[in-house]
Amino acid sequence: MALIASAAFITFSIVFSSNRLANLLAPGNWHEWARGIGHLWGLTFLGTAAGLFALPLAGRQFSPARRQFLNAAGGALVASPAIIVGYGVFGRNQFQVKEIDIPIPGLPKDLQGLRILQLSDIHMSAFLTEADLRRVVDMANETKPHLCVLTGDLITGRNDPLELCMKHVSRVRADAGIIGCNGNHEIFADCEARVKARGSSLGMNILRGEKTRLRFGSATLNVVGVDYQPFRSPYLIGAGELVEPDAVNLLLSHNPDVFPVAARQGYQLTLAGHTHGGQVTVEILHQYANVARMFTNYVYGRYHQNGAALYVTRGIGTVGIPARVGAPPEITVVRLCAS
């Protein structure tokens, strides 16, 4: 335990020192990179120490040959911070398109096969450049969506290029246009109203506790968007009144934890982000471990409850640390299908 306590102290020192160093730099890319790399190094150091602590305990239960293997594994763990930093930093912009079918009970024929492009957690900042976002938009347009939805966190902080981000996102071409909602970082940056106003001028409909009806043939898709719903707060107050019984109801919510409430209110599909799929996640005994799992059961992928569905995307950007491990950035295409 002394090893773990010492490692935790060193981790805190690394993170604290990186914050102090970042504060001495002029605001800009170097400021965020110094902070982010320091945080990442501190976390990986703590993980290494925990692994080295666990290996001897596990080795007592195995044969000499297995213990020799564990000792070799311990050597690999010592080098892991540098490996993880390098892999995660260079992997953070390896964007991929993820297509997923979502079955909807009683889905009207004219909505079957509807392709909804979901972009979330772009976090345009020092860690995601204009060139990166341009590439994301180009890849998104290749999917030829019927509708594009944004589920929050266009930027990370007040000094990030919100206008530039929205300008690039407005280049997405979808038959029914672009509809979105605000995330928690829009709240942190105090720009929720500005996002809605600027979105309107660019032809994007940012919904703040509002709905819009879209017609596809003889079927109606009722799209509702809400501002970020803080964890463990009363969720979706008043959102039930926006559900339309004669339509398929789609909820856009940055926070996926609203899903059980959304399902009870009558939303057949909820699209969310926020978790980044864990951002840094590792597989242990066929289970994925990441920080997001400490806060929510809805980290990544498709979930179902009482006939309703939720999809949580890994999103595009990063926050806190400039790395992704085991959770590559994702441009999501949701296809509606009959169940």
Side-chain angles (χ1 to χ4, degrees), residues 2-290:
L3 174 63
I4 297 296
S6 298
F9 175 76
I10 294 173
T11 298
F12 173 80
S13 299
I14 293 172
V15 172
F16 179 77
S17 297
S18 68
N19 288 338
R20 290 290 300 272
L21 174 61
N23 291 335
L24 293 175
L25 300 174
N29 287 358
W30 284 110
H31 184 276
E32 293 305 317
W33 273 97
R35 189 190 308 275
I37 289 294
H39 289 188
L40 180 57
W41 193 268
L43 289 173
T44 52
F45 180 88
L46 182 60
T48 298
L52 290 175
F53 174 76
L55 280 172
L57 297 179
R60 296 172 189 170
Q61 305 173 27
F62 298 124
S63 65
R66 296 291 293 277
R67 282 197 295 270
Q68 185 178 7
F69 168 78
L70 289 172
N71 289 335
L77 275 173
V78 173
S80 65
I83 295 172
I84 292 174
V85 168
Y87 175 80
V89 168
F90 288 105
R92 78 186 194 284
N93 56 9
Q94 300 302 303
F95 309 113
Q96 58 183 236
V97 175
K98 171 73 172 182
E99 298 201 12
I100 182 77
D101 289 332
I102 302 289
I104 304 292
L107 184 70
K109 182 178 179 180
D110 286 339
L111 290 180
Q112 294 178 21
L114 188 77
R115 296 168 62 83
I116 303 175
L117 169 70
Q118 182 187 6
L119 298 178
S120 190
D121 300 274
I122 292 172
H123 287 287
M124 190 173 185
S125 62
F127 303 152
L128 190 129
T129 67
E130 182 179 4
D132 289 332
L133 183 53
R134 186 182 297 115
R135 183 153 57 95
V136 166
V137 171
D138 290 343
M139 292 175 66
N141 280 330
E142 290 177 2
T143 68
K144 301 186 184 306
H146 296 106
L147 170 67
C148 174
V149 299
L150 311 174
T151 46
D153 283 5
L154 294 169
I155 43 84
T156 298
R158 292 175 182 269
N159 296 320
D160 291 332
L162 176 63
E163 295 281 340
L164 185 61
C165 178
M166 298 189 72
K167 176 183 175 182
H168 279 290
V169 172
S170 71
R171 290 198 301 109
V172 172
R173 294 294 170 255
D175 297 343
I178 303 172
I179 302 174
C181 66
N182 282 315
N184 57 306
H185 281 269
E186 275 78 54
I187 295 175
F188 296 160
D190 194 24
C191 64
E192 311 104 288
R194 185 154 58 101
V195 168
K196 182 172 179 63
R198 184 55 176 152
S200 179
S201 69
L202 292 170
M204 299 187 290
N205 189 4
I206 306 300
L207 301 174
R208 304 189 63 195
E210 302 165 292
K211 65 181 179 181
T212 184
R213 290 170 58 97
L214 302 176
R215 294 285 294 182
F216 295 92
S218 61
T220 299
L221 182 68
N222 180 46
V223 184
V224 174
V226 294
D227 282 348
Y228 171 70
Q229 308 282 292
F231 279 121
R232 300 185 178 89
S233 297
Y235 293 142
L236 302 180
I237 295 175
E241 300 172 4
L242 301 176
V243 171
E244 299 200 358
D246 64 339
V248 173
N249 293 275
L250 166 62
L251 176 67
L252 307 181
S253 169
H254 187 64
N255 176 8
D257 266 28
V258 305
F259 176 49
V261 177
R264 288 197 300 270
Q265 290 182 346
Y267 290 96
Q268 290 96 329
L269 174 60
T270 299
L271 296 179
H274 189 51
T275 64
H276 301 195
Q279 190 167 317
V280 175
T281 184
V282 295
E283 185 178 1
I284 302 175
L285 299 177
H286 307 293
Q287 297 292 323
Y288 288 93
N290 53 62

